[in-house]
Amino acid sequence: MKLSQYFWYDFKDIKDDEGIVSYNYSLRGGFIKKLVSGIYLWNPAGLRVLKKIEQIVREEMDESGAQECLLSCIQPAELWVQSGRYEDYGEEMLRIQDRHKKQMLFGPTHEEVMTNLFSHYVKSYKGLPLNLYQIQWKFRDERRPRFGLMRGREFLMKDAYSFDIDHEGAVKSYNDMYKAYFKIFKRLNLQAIAVRADTGPIGGDLSHEFQVFAKNGESTTYYDQKLVDYINQENFDIDIAKSFYAMADDMHDESKVPSGVEVKSSKAIEIGHLFNFDTKYSVPLKANVQHKDGSNLPVYMGSYGIGVSRLFAAIIEASHDERGIIWPESVAPFKYAILDGIGLIKNDDSFYQKLKEKNIDFIYDDKDDNLSEKFRKWDLFGIPYQIIIGNKYKNEGLIEIKSRKTGEGKLMTLGDFIQSAS
Amino acid sequence: MKLSQYFWYDFKDIKDDEGIVSYNYSLRGGFIKKLVSGIYLWNPAGLRVLKKIEQIVREEMDESGAQECLLSCIQPAELWVQSGRYEDYGEEMLRIQDRHKKQMLFGPTHEEVMTNLFSHYVKSYKGLPLNLYQIQWKFRDERRPRFGLMRGREFLMKDAYSFDIDHEGAVKSYNDMYKAYFKIFKRLNLQAIAVRADTGPIGGDLSHEFQVFAKNGESTTYYDQKLVDYINQENFDIDIAKSFYAMADDMHDESKVPSGVEVKSSKAIEIGHLFNFDTKYSVPLKANVQHKDGSNLPVYMGSYGIGVSRLFAAIIEASHDERGIIWPESVAPFKYAILDGIGLIKNDDSFYQKLKEKNIDFIYDDKDDNLSEKFRKWDLFGIPYQIIIGNKYKNEGLIEIKSRKTGEGKLMTLGDFIQSAS
């Protein structure tokens, strides 16, 4: 890809970055554009990152045995009336009346619809256990959308729903998600912890929030530091991990901290949430399954969310410096940015063509800026490796491969780079 | 994938198939479920097909030089007021009021928003030509949603928008899409033709619809049969293709048929649409670009849609028999279905594991049904190849690889199949 032909512009004239660095860099770096309050448009480079995040989430969900489906954005109000949540949800729900005066809504979550889908097909224990997930845009009409993608109104979410024969099975499904979430966040280079959380409008009595520490986080989290060390082991035991003191804001109670435990508090960003609510939805929505003994009983459920578009912002919060974003390789829009300060490639296209032939994930900055302007831009954009073609090439035939993260450079010939790059 | 663990159920109790085979088979085959009128849920097997269609569209759009971005579902009404379309669009537009009493809508199309995005960044001829596309869910509040996915309310669309310096450039962009669309439909095994069409609420004066012939089509199309032969050549000339007589319903005029041309008429399904409308949106939305000579003038635009979820139905209409769907390999949910009538794999998992290791795209029907029930089901589901393990295996050690399309079978050993399958 040549930058001169690519729709990617850094944007200096930012009127309001809502006071946080991830939003500032997302706008200045031309990854997203604000349409109206809490609603964003994804430019090609931003979408590349979003899709890589989405794909990592998908792969780990599939690996856990969950199956992807896709529900609609627009839902009928009647399912929510049936579950008893229609009035409860309040003004955050975007309520819509269609041309036939039917009450509809833009789904803020999908417990009702997924339960409806499940019960249409599955009538027997033979169809269990089951975990269905989707990656779909949701809408929550926040009173005051803020912090950019952190608390937008239209946002991309991975939401999974498990169906089990009994509470024990539901807890196993819950634990499978607990494990899968840590794998996802590790691949995204995020240090996450799971803390006990209030269940809010979703309901149930077992719930964990996944948090990443960030000084711009909206939440405060209280936890035993030993938990962080424990979960960073390759294979940890979920029950042991759950037994550490780790609480979301509203669950923390100083008087309940076990003696000898030193509780730390940190600002954090919520990036995932697990809920077990057993039969809360299956009873009103009549999602029963026949058991082996012939009895016909409500199915046991849980739901499991990850804010995919919020992760975009959380990754920036966790990985940046004063010059811009430092994308982890796993989600970077491109792995290499080629900064040609001497017009080498402009005069000889064969280098560009060779990189393309090798399917190298790169973008070539062929704009007429000088190298220092290019450094400013690519440090902001956060591409992991800058391939610098400057005076060293003129004098010694060497290019520099510079890591955005460490700032360290490595000199080599063009030929060696083409050979070794992947 | 083992069918007993997969959320895929054929469904015999179809109350209303809206009179067309694609919807009947989509429901009976458990690919989608109707939520409410014109709104559907995608089960895992249906989503696999939808994503393969989407990916083919994406690859050919990328190949054409277009760049993928992603716009929001919810848009502010004010952009439509500015373009002059807010009142025109009528009741098909799903109008929404948010909690702050702002007028919003669920995008039925994105000319306004894309123009807004473009003009935020591109101010100069240097950023042209440009073609930005997205694959996103749209909503049109049809008075009478019908024919299942053919005319749903919430539907998946690929919509591209081109930006050029002048009319000549805009026509070149238009022609690039014309060419790309034929490539897309060929990969989907659809015989499409492009016919002159009315521009309707999108506007402009140059427009083609892409149609596939289908006896359940909603449109009637009038065309010179020689056109079909011409466009089926490997490399055809767009200007020659455009010169044949080929008209959508509302453009056909018997008196304007050139002498000597024999016009055929066929029922057809519209699957794509090209519009050139030059400065219709850029003028009211003030999307100007600076030219080389310093003048600052409205950019020239076109828009180009493909109904991605409608293609799901159109492919079924074009490829089925009385027993069910016949998916083209390019979009089939799985390439192979393994119908084990003698419990071979149940007793020995190694065959299953070997296929998994080789990354073969297959599903194994491990349910307890007999072979004739399995044939009924897999003929309905439309998987291209059925791998039949039955008496021939017991007696001669041979399995049968049967083509869903031709019905022809080929006998081979399990080992040879594993060797040769891809």
Side-chain angles (χ1 to χ4, degrees), chain A residues 336-339 371 375 385-390 392-393 397-403 407-414 417:
Chain A
Y336 302 103
I338 300 174
L339 285 55
L371 264 182
F375 285 136
Y385 299 98
Q386 297 171 355
I387 311 303
I388 303 156
I389 307 179
K392 276 232 163 49
Y393 185 80
L398 296 173
I399 60 170
E400 184 182 353
I401 289 85
K402 188 172 158 197
S403 158
E408 279 163 25
K410 220 163 104 179
L411 295 170
M412 56 174 81
T413 64
L414 263 180
F417 172 69

Side-chain angles (χ1 to χ4, degrees), chain A residues 207-222:
Chain A
S207 179
H208 282 87
E209 270 180 29
F210 282 75
Q211 307 263 11
V212 274
F213 306 128
K215 65 175 192 294
N216 285 317
E218 273 195 285
S219 320
T220 306
T221 193
Y222 298 85

Side-chain angles (χ1 to χ4, degrees), chain B residues 107-368:
Chain B
T109 178
H110 283 72
E111 279 79 8
E112 283 80 358
V113 176
M114 196 64 98
T115 307
N116 175 275
L117 177 68
F118 168 84
S119 67
H120 183 70
Y121 295 106
V122 180
K123 311 288 184 191
S124 151
Y125 69 91
K126 288 183 190 162
L128 302 179
L130 180 69
N131 185 328
L132 295 173
Y133 77 98
Q134 64 166 345
I135 300 174
Q136 176 63 300
W137 291 89
K138 308 228 179 319
F139 202 97
R140 289 184 193 164
D141 202 2
E142 301 276 351
R143 175 192 298 276
R144 203 165 72 82
R146 58 192 182 278
F147 307 138
L149 298 169
M150 287 290 182
R151 192 166 288 277
R153 294 197 288 171
E154 191 171 320
F155 60 97
L156 187 61
M157 194 165 169
K158 183 287 299 173
D159 43 327
Y161 304 84
S162 65
F163 301 89
D164 282 278
I165 196 77
D166 54 22
H167 177 73
E168 203 185 351
V171 170
K172 187 190 170 306
S173 295
Y174 185 99
N175 288 346
D176 287 347
M177 289 295 98
Y178 189 101
K179 199 101 190 178
Y181 277 28
F182 274 108
K183 288 167 80 179
I184 289 168
F185 301 135
K186 273 188 189 156
R187 288 181 64 185
L188 297 173
N189 257 35
L190 292 172
Q191 170 67 63
I193 63 166
V195 303
R196 287 298 299 264
D198 189 26
T199 55
I202 305 285
D205 53 14
L206 172 60
S207 179
H208 281 87
E209 271 180 28
F210 282 75
Q211 307 263 9
V212 275
F213 305 128
K215 66 175 190 294
N216 286 316
E218 274 196 283
S219 320
T220 306
T221 192
Y222 298 84
Y223 61 99
D224 183 344
Q225 173 66 32
K226 294 197 186 93
L227 169 61
V228 180
D229 304 331
Y230 184 70
I231 57 181
N232 283 339
Q233 296 176 75
E234 194 59 46
N235 282 303
F236 62 82
D237 180 88
I238 291 178
D239 289 319
I240 297 177
K242 279 179 176 171
S243 70
F244 284 91
Y245 189 88
M247 296 287 169
D249 224 339
D250 42 14
M251 296 287 280
H252 173 58
D253 180 345
E254 202 66 58
S255 73
K256 292 193 175 145
V257 176
S259 68
V261 169
E262 203 186 320
V263 171
K264 283 181 72 168
S265 80
S266 292
K267 286 283 173 195
I269 300 164
E270 182 196 339
I271 50 173
H273 212 142
L274 310 180
F275 298 96
N276 165 262
F277 40 72
D278 286 345
T279 61
K280 177 182 151 108
Y281 296 92
S282 57
V283 168
L285 295 168
K286 300 189 173 55
N288 284 13
V289 284
Q290 190 158 42
H291 288 224
K292 266 186 185 160
D293 65 6
S295 59
N296 200 37
L297 298 169
V299 71
Y300 282 70
M301 296 176 55
S303 74
Y304 318 96
I306 288 181
V308 177
S309 48
R310 179 182 282 191
L311 279 173
F312 184 99
I315 292 167
I316 299 177
E317 291 295 337
S319 183
H320 69 270
D321 62 19
E322 69 293 347
R323 298 193 308 279
I325 303 169
I326 304 169
W327 290 116
E329 264 189 58
S330 59
V331 301
F334 299 93
K335 184 173 176 185
Y336 302 104
I338 300 174
L339 284 55
D340 181 357
I342 57 170
L344 174 73
I345 299 177
K346 219 159 222 176
N347 300 324
D348 174 8
D349 209 45
S350 65
F351 177 50
Y352 179 80
Q353 293 305 334
K354 274 180 197 150
L355 287 174
K356 268 188 71 171
E357 278 160 28
K358 270 200 75 179
N359 260 325
I360 305 295
D361 183 27
F362 76 103
I363 183 159
Y364 161 45
D365 183 351
D366 60 341
K367 294 207 170 176
D368 288 332

Side-chain angles (χ1 to χ4, degrees), chain A residues 1 4-7 9 11 27 30-36 39-44 47 50-51 54 58 67-76 78-79 91-92 94-100 104 106 113 116-118 120-122 126-127 130 132 136-137 139 141-144 153-154, chain B residues 1 4-7 9 11 27 30-36 39-44 47 50-51 54 58 67-76 78-79 91-92 94-100 104 106 113 116-118 120-122 126-127 130 132 136-137 139 141-144 153-154:
Chain A
M1 186 56 69
S4 66
Q5 291 159 19
Y6 195 55
F7 186 67
Y9 297 89
F11 204 83
L27 294 175
F31 292 97
I32 60 170
K33 177 193 179 288
K34 178 175 172 173
L35 180 62
V36 291
I39 302 182
Y40 303 96
L41 311 176
W42 295 80
N43 297 331
L47 184 61
L50 188 69
K51 282 190 168 285
E54 185 184 310
R58 176 175 290 121
Q67 297 171 41
E68 188 174 6
C69 57
L70 189 62
L71 310 182
S72 57
C73 295
I74 300 297
Q75 310 178 0
E78 57 185 284
L79 281 176
E91 286 198 278
E92 260 193 35
L94 191 68
R95 290 158 209 260
I96 302 169
Q97 188 173 284
D98 76 6
R99 69 189 292 171
H100 298 300
M104 313 291 281
F106 197 126
V113 175
N116 174 275
L117 178 67
F118 168 84
H120 183 69
Y121 295 106
V122 181
K126 288 183 190 163
L130 180 69
L132 295 173
Q136 176 64 299
W137 292 89
F139 203 96
D141 202 2
E142 302 275 351
R143 176 192 298 275
R144 204 166 71 81
R153 294 197 289 171
E154 191 171 320
Chain B
M1 185 58 67
S4 65
Q5 291 157 21
Y6 195 55
F7 187 67
Y9 297 89
F11 203 84
L27 295 174
F31 291 98
I32 59 169
K33 177 193 177 291
K34 178 176 174 173
L35 180 61
V36 291
I39 302 182
Y40 302 96
L41 313 176
W42 294 81
N43 296 330
L47 184 61
L50 187 69
K51 281 188 168 287
E54 186 184 312
R58 176 175 291 120
Q67 298 172 40
E68 188 175 6
C69 58
L70 188 63
L71 309 183
S72 57
C73 295
I74 301 296
Q75 310 178 0
E78 59 185 282
L79 281 177
E91 285 198 278
E92 260 192 34
L94 191 68
R95 289 159 210 260
I96 302 169
Q97 188 173 283
D98 77 3
R99 68 189 292 170
H100 298 299
M104 314 291 280
F106 196 127
V113 176
N116 175 275
L117 177 68
F118 168 84
H120 183 70
Y121 295 106
V122 180
K126 288 183 190 162
L130 180 69
L132 295 173
Q136 176 63 300
W137 291 89
F139 202 97
D141 202 2
E142 301 276 351
R143 175 192 298 276
R144 203 165 72 82
R153 294 197 288 171
E154 191 171 320

Side-chain angles (χ1 to χ4, degrees), chain A residues 7-254:
Chain A
F7 186 67
W8 194 2
Y9 297 89
D10 66 312
F11 204 83
K12 294 176 189 85
D13 185 22
I14 303 302
K15 289 191 183 68
D16 179 15
D17 65 6
E18 302 183 5
I20 63 166
V21 69
S22 55
Y23 191 44
N24 184 297
Y25 286 166
S26 298
L27 294 175
R28 276 177 52 206
F31 292 97
I32 60 170
K33 177 193 179 288
K34 178 175 172 173
L35 180 62
V36 291
S37 175
I39 302 182
Y40 303 96
L41 311 176
W42 295 80
N43 297 331
L47 184 61
R48 284 176 79 98
V49 176
L50 188 69
K51 282 190 168 285
K52 287 186 183 182
I53 298 171
E54 185 184 310
Q55 186 57 24
I56 287 173
V57 172
R58 176 175 290 121
E59 285 169 12
E60 294 300 333
M61 290 303 295
D62 290 345
E63 178 69 27
S64 82
Q67 297 171 41
E68 188 174 6
C69 57
L70 189 62
L71 310 182
S72 57
C73 295
I74 300 297
Q75 310 178 0
E78 57 185 284
L79 281 176
W80 289 68
V81 171
Q82 212 180 324
S83 75
R85 286 207 292 181
Y86 190 55
E87 292 312 322
D88 296 357
Y89 222 89
E91 286 198 278
E92 260 193 35
M93 183 185 277
L94 191 68
R95 290 158 209 260
I96 302 169
Q97 188 173 284
D98 76 6
R99 69 189 292 171
H100 298 300
K101 311 269 180 244
K102 280 227 162 50
Q103 298 305 315
M104 313 291 281
L105 55 100
F106 197 126
T109 178
H110 283 73
E111 280 79 9
E112 283 80 358
V113 175
M114 196 64 98
T115 307
N116 174 275
L117 178 67
F118 168 84
S119 67
H120 183 69
Y121 295 106
V122 181
K123 311 288 184 191
S124 150
Y125 69 92
K126 288 183 190 163
L128 304 179
L130 180 69
N131 186 327
L132 295 173
Y133 77 98
Q134 65 168 343
I135 300 174
Q136 176 64 299
W137 292 89
K138 309 228 179 316
F139 203 96
R140 289 184 193 164
D141 202 2
E142 302 275 351
R143 176 192 298 275
R144 204 166 71 81
R146 57 192 183 279
F147 307 139
L149 298 170
M150 287 289 183
R151 192 165 288 277
R153 294 197 289 171
E154 191 171 320
F155 60 98
L156 187 61
M157 193 167 172
K158 183 286 299 173
D159 42 328
Y161 303 84
S162 65
F163 299 89
D164 284 276
I165 196 78
D166 54 21
H167 177 71
E168 203 184 351
V171 170
K172 189 191 169 304
S173 295
Y174 185 99
N175 288 347
D176 287 346
M177 289 295 99
Y178 189 102
K179 200 99 191 180
Y181 276 29
F182 274 109
K183 289 167 81 178
I184 290 167
F185 300 135
K186 274 189 189 156
R187 287 182 64 184
L188 297 173
N189 259 35
L190 292 172
Q191 171 68 63
I193 63 166
V195 303
R196 287 298 299 264
D198 189 27
T199 55
I202 305 284
D205 52 14
L206 171 62
S207 179
H208 282 87
E209 270 180 29
F210 282 75
Q211 307 263 11
V212 274
F213 306 128
K215 65 175 192 294
N216 285 317
E218 273 195 285
S219 320
T220 306
T221 193
Y222 298 85
Y223 61 99
D224 183 344
Q225 173 65 35
K226 293 196 186 96
L227 168 62
V228 180
D229 304 331
Y230 183 71
I231 57 180
N232 282 340
Q233 298 176 74
E234 194 58 47
N235 282 304
F236 63 83
D237 181 88
I238 290 177
D239 289 320
I240 296 176
K242 280 180 177 169
S243 69
F244 285 91
Y245 189 87
M247 297 287 168
D249 225 337
D250 41 14
M251 296 288 279
H252 174 57
D253 181 344
E254 201 65 59

